Amino acid sequence: MITTVEPGVWGVLATPFSGAALEVDTIGIARLVEHAEQAGVTGLTVLGVFGEAARLSWQERRTVLETVLATTHLPLVVGCTSQATAPVIDEAEMAADLVGERLAAVMVQVNSVDPQALQNHLTAIHRDSGARIVIQDYPATTGVNVSSAVLGDVTVRCDFVAAVKAEAPPTPVAIAELTARCSVPVFGGLGGINLLDELAVGAAGAMTGFSYPEALVSCVREWFSGNAAASRAALIGYLPLIAFEQQPGIAMAIRKECLRRRGLISEAAVRPPARALPESLIDVLADHLSLAGVVTA
């Protein structure tokens, strides 16, 4: 297996669906993967929260992974959606068995504010699956609000942790505290909405989804080339669209509609209980795309 999670942009892959039965659209997955690779991402994050992995059957998760593996040679971080240790181990073992040497890590959500309980959870997953771990701190999904001090200390004690994905606002503060405590790369998320500030305090890049990943890639590349002004210029025009796309409850529906308008997927459907894009926002989305100066199908 790969032993590092390289700095850069790790694109979070959406899972497109088609038809009345909302079947997994493997053609759409392949298009998304090809586009992300062309955009210059460092790797892909598959079966994450924005991949609607919690709404996929076990076989559908395998189908997604197999499609990605057949489409690209990029390294993968594979998300685990459960919070209890035993089901996360099952998810991690499937990822390790299926992805093999191209697995950079499995992404595991913080499930406890108690440092020993969290360490025990992570240790068991690594021990049984053999996979390195990206710790995802995403309280908006888990409801678990752990301090950066606890998270940093647990990371230091777990030498199998490959990276941390910090999505607890204010993320620039969290990233600054984490990078001061541990040596593993710390990535921002949340669509890149705070990416410029996160880079300024030591982020290794972004591990997130956005319908225009090329903007994130350009921003991060310019930053690490020492061109702060060019980094800002690469992202600044997209920030209103990023903020619009990150709206709680409808974020996935907005992103999928953007991807559909780009011609990358055929349908923008999301699986319940996720909400579809409200009719009232369709014209607003069109305005955001126009102001960002992007071309849609």
Side-chain angles (χ1 to χ4, degrees):
M1 292 183 187
I2 299 166
T3 58
T4 60
V5 176
E6 296 290 338
V9 174
W10 290 72
V12 173
L13 193 70
T15 303
F17 304 115
S18 62
L22 297 179
E23 297 179 345
V24 171
D25 176 9
T26 55
I27 294 174
I29 292 171
R31 285 187 186 139
L32 291 174
V33 170
E34 289 167 352
H35 177 74
E37 186 166 20
Q38 290 166 4
V41 298
T42 303
L44 292 170
T45 304
V46 186
L47 300 180
V49 172
F50 264 63
E52 298 179 78
R55 301 178 190 122
L56 300 178
S57 71
W58 200 253
Q59 182 54 51
E60 286 173 330
R61 295 184 191 201
R62 291 185 64 92
T63 297
V64 170
L65 282 175
E66 288 168 350
T67 303
V68 173
L69 290 167
T71 307
T72 183
H73 293 290
L74 287 171
L76 306 182
V77 168
V78 178
C80 298
T81 58
S82 302
Q83 287 184 262
T85 304
V88 176
I89 289 173
D90 286 344
E91 293 179 79
E93 287 181 333
M94 181 184 75
D97 291 345
L98 201 59
V99 180
E101 292 183 355
R102 288 170 53 196
L103 183 67
V106 294
M107 187 161 62
V108 177
Q109 297 179 16
V110 171
N111 72 338
S112 176
V113 300
D114 177 77
Q116 192 59 56
L118 179 56
Q119 183 175 339
N120 291 345
H121 176 63
L122 299 172
T123 300
I125 296 163
H126 170 69
R127 181 193 64 227
D128 288 5
S129 70
R132 290 171 65 80
I133 290 175
V134 173
I135 304 176
Q136 183 180 23
D137 182 21
Y138 194 12
T141 295
T142 63
V144 178
N145 291 281
V146 68
S147 71
S148 296
V150 167
L151 186 55
D153 290 347
V154 169
T155 299
V156 169
R157 292 198 296 270
C158 297
D159 61 3
F160 50 82
V161 171
V164 178
K165 184 181 180 187
E167 297 185 284
T171 54
V173 175
I175 288 171
E177 293 175 349
L178 287 166
T179 55
R181 285 180 174 268
C182 54
S183 59
V184 301
V186 180
F187 292 87
L190 303 180
I193 196 166
N194 295 316
L195 179 56
L196 291 167
D197 297 327
E198 291 165 352
L199 291 168
V201 297
M207 187 175 290
T208 194
F210 174 48
S211 52
Y212 288 82
E214 54 268 41
L216 304 179
V217 171
S218 294
C219 174
V220 172
R221 280 182 177 169
E222 294 291 354
W223 179 268
F224 287 119
S225 295
N227 301 319
S231 175
R232 179 180 177 83
L235 192 64
I236 199 75
Y238 288 90
L239 283 176
L241 178 60
I242 290 173
F244 183 78
E245 196 174 282
Q246 279 298 114
Q247 295 181 74
I250 56 173
M252 191 68 253
I254 295 172
R255 182 172 299 165
K256 282 190 166 180
E257 177 60 15
C258 289
L259 295 171
R260 187 194 69 80
R261 293 187 184 209
R262 298 200 72 181
L264 296 173
I265 60 177
S266 60
E267 298 180 37
V270 293
R271 279 189 175 174
R275 291 176 60 192
L277 177 64
E279 191 78 19
S280 58
L281 293 184
I282 291 176
D283 289 343
V284 181
L285 172 57
D287 288 343
H288 277 293
L289 292 170
S290 176
L291 288 169
V294 297
V295 177
T296 56

